[in-house]
Amino acid sequence: MSPGVLVIGASGVDLVGRAQAPLRLGTSNPGEVRLSNGGVARNVAENLARLGLEVTLLTALGSDDQGRQVLDHTSRAGVDVAHALVVEGSRTGAYLALLDDQGAMHLALDDMRVVEAITADYLEDRRALFEQAEAVFFDANLPPSPIEAIVRLARQAGVPVAADPTSMALATRLIPHLADLWLITPNEAEAETLAPHDVPHTDRDRGLDAARHLVARGVRIAMVTMAEFGVAYATAEVSGHVPAVRTDILDPTGAGDALTAAVLFGLLNDIPLDESVRLGASAAAVTLRHRGSVVPNLSLELLYDQLR
């Protein structure tokens, strides 16, 4: 149970603050601030490694203390970072989030410009990694040219490709490649950007409709995350909905990345789609209760224990 996954995209540091009382704009708010390792691709890679898969991460970081710390932590978590780029004179990527006193995101900023060092030529030089992988995952922090190269190299190697739209602003980068994607994991807003739809129903129905729209555009498996309303999914043959696992929210950062990783783990180990999505919902729930982007004791047993 150790298929290899090639993960490509952003790594960085997360700075997340949570207010202790209702936020007041224009003044300092008492709260709790924490710093951890982050980046969509890096989070997915670490989650996959902690679940027991072999993972290679292609990413770019600055030549600074933060970059060295992120690489060291990710390597110790079991991820192969031998091909990571350290870009001289650049800063390591960073994500800054402000949460309200209930743990919901109020505002977030990200600076992942260093990932632009991942070029099509850099990926071409690592063609063998695509040929050795059982699946490829990337995030939309990457510029259009390397995204095109990833899709092409994976197609030539006969390897399925999964992608995370990352944000509404970046999701448009995936639109030309929807027909090449095996799996996509947007939230509702990102799904609306990728495949506009207008269904005046409940959130569950909107999520199902969005997933079906993405499948109609060529995606093989579409999952639409809807926070407390759970996850809607669709393929050309089936569609369904998995409710969210009830839990307290300490910090939402990384919950979606954990969900994506657990679903990938399930599908690559021939676990049925519905059960894989349930594992994803469980992974999101345990991450919501953790101060940090990845739960350090994540395991398949932990996910099933919570579902029981």
Side-chain angles (χ1 to χ4, degrees):
M1 293 190 47
S2 57
V5 184
L6 179 61
V7 177
I8 311 169
S11 296
V13 293
D14 288 346
L15 184 64
V16 179
R18 176 171 174 165
Q20 293 177 349
L23 283 167
R24 299 178 63 187
L25 300 182
T27 186
S28 178
N29 290 259
E32 179 180 292
V33 179
R34 61 93 175 160
L35 182 70
S36 68
N37 303 289
V40 173
R42 197 217 67 84
N43 291 345
V44 170
E46 182 177 343
N47 278 298
L48 288 172
R50 293 194 181 281
L51 287 171
L53 302 194
E54 295 180 2
V55 187
T56 298
L57 176 63
L58 302 184
T59 191
L61 303 106
S63 56
D64 48 27
D65 290 341
Q66 291 83 5
R68 286 185 285 274
Q69 193 278 328
V70 170
L71 277 182
D72 179 64
H73 171 91
T74 307
S75 177
R76 285 188 284 108
V79 178
D80 180 357
V81 296
H83 297 273
L85 288 171
V86 177
V87 185
E88 291 296 327
S90 292
R91 294 192 306 271
T92 292
Y95 172 80
L96 173 65
L98 175 61
L99 313 179
D100 65 21
D101 57 320
Q102 301 302 308
M105 183 195 295
H106 180 73
L107 180 69
L109 298 172
D110 70 83
D111 178 2
M112 295 293 173
R113 287 171 290 180
V114 68
V115 82
E116 294 174 5
I118 299 177
T119 63
D121 288 342
Y122 163 84
L123 296 167
E124 286 278 2
D125 290 343
R126 289 154 182 81
R127 177 184 294 268
L129 296 176
F130 288 82
E131 296 169 349
Q132 296 161 10
E134 186 162 341
V136 173
F137 169 87
F138 72 92
D139 70 48
N141 283 293
L142 296 164
S145 178
I147 289 177
E148 292 172 7
I150 290 167
V151 171
R152 174 173 46 79
L153 289 167
R155 186 191 311 119
Q156 292 170 352
V159 177
V161 181
D164 188 309
T166 306
S167 70
M168 290 178 64
L170 298 175
T172 55
R173 297 180 179 182
L174 301 185
I175 291 175
H177 308 290
L178 292 177
D180 293 300
L181 297 181
W182 166 56
L183 173 68
I184 194 168
T185 58
N187 60 28
E188 286 182 285
E190 294 159 357
E192 175 69 26
T193 300
L194 291 164
H197 58 287
D198 184 17
V199 181
H201 299 307
T202 65
D203 285 77
R204 171 175 168 167
D205 288 338
R206 284 184 62 81
L208 284 168
D209 185 73
R212 291 170 184 145
H213 269 67
L214 287 166
V215 170
R217 297 286 299 273
V219 176
R220 258 69 87 207
I221 303 171
M223 290 191 333
V224 178
T225 60
M226 301 175 290
E228 71 269 23
F229 294 100
V231 185
Y233 64 88
T235 70
E237 294 79 28
V238 299
S239 61
H241 172 265
V242 170
V245 177
R246 285 186 171 275
T247 187
D248 295 329
I249 300 176
L250 188 62
D251 184 345
T253 312
D257 304 333
L259 185 150
T260 297
V263 172
L264 276 171
F265 171 88
L267 295 175
L268 291 173
N269 283 293
D270 298 320
I271 296 174
L273 176 57
D274 180 74
E275 185 177 350
S276 294
V277 177
R278 291 182 187 280
L279 288 175
S282 180
V286 298
T287 306
L288 287 169
R289 297 196 300 268
H290 174 67
R291 282 188 178 86
S293 302
V294 178
V295 177
N297 64 331
L298 187 70
S299 68
L300 187 60
E301 292 75 19
L302 177 65
L303 300 185
Y304 275 121
D305 284 346
Q306 177 170 247
L307 290 176
R308 283 194 290 266

